[in-house]
Amino acid sequence: MVLKTFGWSFAVTALGLVAAVLFGGWTAFGIVAILSILEISLSFDNAVVNAGILKKMNAFWQKIFLTIGILIAVFGMRLVFPVVIVAISAQLGPIEAVDLALSDKDRYQELVTDAHPAIAAFGGMFLLMIFLDFIFEDREIKWLTWLERPLAKLGKVDMLSVCIALIILLISAITFATNAHQHGGAHVDKSSTVLLSGIAGLITYMIVGGLSGYFEDKLEEEEEREHEEEEKAERSGKPRTAVAMAGKAAFFMFLYLEVLDASFSFDGVIGAFAITNDIVLMALGLGIGAMYVRSLTVYLVRQGTLDEYVYLEHGAHYAIGALALILLVTIQYEIHELITGSIGVILIGASFWSSVRRNKALAAAEGNADEKTEVSSGV
C-alpha cells in the first residue's frame, strides 16, 4: 500500500536529487533535500484538508488530482508562480522574467520579497475564510467543545465569516501594511496593495468555494435519490454501489483544491528564498515536497484515516487559521519558517492524540457495556 501510494514520490525524489547533483554538486543536493523537508512540514495540514475533500470524489478525479493536479502544483506554483510574481511586480515580459531568475538571482529575490505583501494578503484571506467557515459551522463532532460550541451558535449569523475576514484585512492594512517589509530591510506603505490583494483573495474564495458548494449540494440531492433506489435494490438482492462526486461537482471541487493548494504554497515559496534564490533548486526541492503532500493526501483517503482519527480535520483547520494570521503578520515582520511549520505540526499532533484518546475511551466504554450485558444475561 505504501509503495503503491508513494511510489511516484520516491521516484521523483531520486530523479530530483540526481538532477540537483548534476546541476550544482553536493551543495545543491543538500539544498534540495532541505527544501523538500521544508515543503512537507509546512504543507502537512494541506494534505489533511485535501483528504477531507478528495474522499468525496470518484476514482477518476482522484487520478486527475494526482496527475494534472501535480503538474499544476509543481510547475505552476513552484516554478511558474515565482516568475509571474517578478513579471508583474517589475513589469517585465515572461521571457525577461525567466532570464532575470536565471541570470540575476539576487535581483530576482529582491523583486519577490517586494511582492510579498500582495502575496501574503491574497493567500492569508483565502486561508482565513476556510478557517472561519469551518469553525462557524455546527458540526456533530467537536474537538475543542468549549470553543467550538459557542462559535457554532455565532455561525448562524449570515455573512459573519466575511465580515470578520474584512475586519481583519482592514486592521492588517492600517497596521502591518503601512510599514511593509521590503528587501534590504526597508519598509514602505503598501496599504492599497494589501487591501486590493486581500479582497481579491476573498472574492476568489467566494467564487470557487461557492461553485463547489453549489454542486456539492446538487450531489447530495442525487445521493438521496440514489440511496432510495439502492435500498430498493438491496431488498431485491442486488448489490449496493457507493456514490462518489463526479461531473461538474468534481470539476469545481478539483478547482477548489488547486486554489487551496496554491494558497498553502505561498509560504513555502517565499520561505524557500531564505535557503536559496536559485529558481532551479527551488523548483526541484519544493516539487519533491509537493509530490509527497499529494501522495499523503491519497494515503489518508485510502486508509480512511480521517474517519478513524476524527479530530485530525479540526487540527488541520486550526493550523490553517494560524497560517493565515502568520501570513498577514509577515507583511511587516519576518517570521522564521521553523515557527510556521512547528505550529501546524503541533496542532495536528494534538488533534491526532485527542483522536487516539477518544478511540480508546469509546473502546473501553463498549467493553464495559459488553461485560454488563453478559452479567445481566447470566453468562
Side-chain angles (χ1 to χ4, degrees):
M1 176 64 183
V2 173
L3 183 61
K4 182 179 179 181
T5 305
F6 289 89
W8 279 106
S9 297
F10 295 151
V12 169
T13 300
L15 291 173
L17 292 176
V18 169
V21 173
L22 295 175
F23 179 78
W26 290 106
T27 300
F29 176 93
I31 291 173
V32 170
I34 292 171
L35 286 172
S36 302
I37 296 171
L38 171 70
E39 178 69 10
I40 294 169
S41 64
L42 289 176
S43 301
F44 184 79
D45 46 359
N46 187 11
V48 177
V49 175
N50 284 353
I53 300 171
L54 194 65
K55 68 180 182 180
K56 303 175 184 177
M57 302 166 72
N58 63 16
F60 171 79
W61 281 100
Q62 289 182 6
K63 289 180 181 178
I64 292 293
F65 176 74
L66 274 177
T67 52
I68 297 176
I70 195 62
L71 291 175
I72 296 172
V74 174
F75 295 101
M77 288 309 302
R78 275 74 179 182
L79 183 61
V80 177
F81 172 68
V83 175
V84 171
I85 292 174
V86 171
I88 294 174
S89 60
Q91 297 182 345
L92 299 173
I95 297 176
E96 293 176 288
V98 172
D99 181 64
L100 181 66
L102 295 173
S103 61
D104 191 350
K105 298 171 185 176
D106 291 335
R107 178 56 181 161
Y108 173 77
Q109 181 177 351
E110 290 175 359
L111 291 172
V112 174
T113 301
D114 291 346
H116 177 68
I119 300 168
F122 181 94
M125 290 302 294
F126 188 90
L127 295 177
L128 183 62
M129 282 299 300
I130 294 172
F131 169 69
L132 291 175
D133 278 351
F134 181 86
I135 63 170
F136 285 136
E137 185 177 344
D138 190 6
R139 298 177 177 276
E140 182 179 350
I141 297 176
K142 296 178 175 62
W143 179 31
L144 305 178
T145 309
W146 57 272
L147 175 64
E148 294 173 12
R149 184 170 292 165
L151 288 176
K153 293 180 180 178
L154 286 174
K156 296 178 181 178
V157 179
D158 289 339
M159 304 300 290
L160 181 63
S161 297
V162 176
C163 293
I164 292 177
L166 286 173
I167 290 171
I168 293 175
L169 176 61
L170 182 61
I171 292 173
S172 300
I174 62 179
T175 54
F176 305 128
T178 56
N179 198 26
H181 173 74
Q182 302 287 268
H183 77 275
H187 289 82
V188 298
D189 188 349
K190 291 273 189 174
S191 301
S192 58
T193 300
V194 167
L195 277 174
L196 287 173
S197 300
I199 291 173
L202 179 63
I203 292 172
T204 301
Y205 172 83
M206 294 181 71
I207 291 175
V208 178
L211 286 172
S212 61
Y214 169 77
F215 286 107
E216 189 174 359
D217 290 340
K218 289 290 186 182
L219 178 72
E220 289 178 358
E221 293 177 5
E222 293 178 11
E223 285 179 341
E224 290 178 2
R225 288 197 301 268
E226 292 198 17
H227 181 66
E228 295 177 359
E229 295 178 2
E230 287 173 355
E231 287 183 341
K232 294 178 182 178
E234 187 178 12
R235 286 194 293 269
S236 63
K238 296 180 181 179
R240 297 180 62 179
T241 56
V243 180
M245 189 175 291
K248 292 181 180 179
F251 171 76
F252 283 105
M253 194 61 73
F254 170 77
L255 183 61
Y256 176 80
L257 274 173
E258 291 308 313
V259 178
L260 177 63
D261 179 76
S263 298
F264 269 106
S265 68
F266 289 151
D267 62 323
V269 173
I270 299 302
F273 283 101
I275 299 172
T276 181
N277 56 9
D278 191 310
I279 190 172
V280 175
L281 297 182
M282 193 182 302
L284 287 173
L286 297 181
I288 290 172
M291 279 295 300
Y292 279 98
V293 172
R294 279 296 197 278
S295 297
L296 182 59
T297 298
V298 174
Y299 181 80
L300 293 173
V301 171
R302 292 175 179 173
Q303 291 292 101
T305 306
L306 298 185
D307 295 328
E308 183 177 357
Y309 302 102
V310 295
Y311 298 137
L312 268 181
E313 196 169 1
H314 294 73
H317 279 86
Y318 281 110
I320 288 175
L323 177 58
L325 295 178
I326 287 173
L327 278 172
L328 295 175
V329 172
T330 57
I331 292 173
Q332 181 176 354
Y333 302 101
E334 291 187 72
I335 298 178
H336 199 278
E337 292 73 30
L338 181 62
I339 297 175
T340 306
S342 298
I343 291 175
V345 171
I346 290 170
L347 286 168
I348 292 175
S351 64
F352 176 78
W353 176 242
S354 296
S355 300
V356 171
R357 292 177 59 189
R358 173 185 181 272
N359 292 343
K360 288 182 178 179
L362 290 175
E366 290 177 1
N368 292 333
D370 291 340
E371 288 179 5
K372 290 179 180 179
T373 302
E374 290 176 359
V375 171
S376 63
S377 62
V379 178

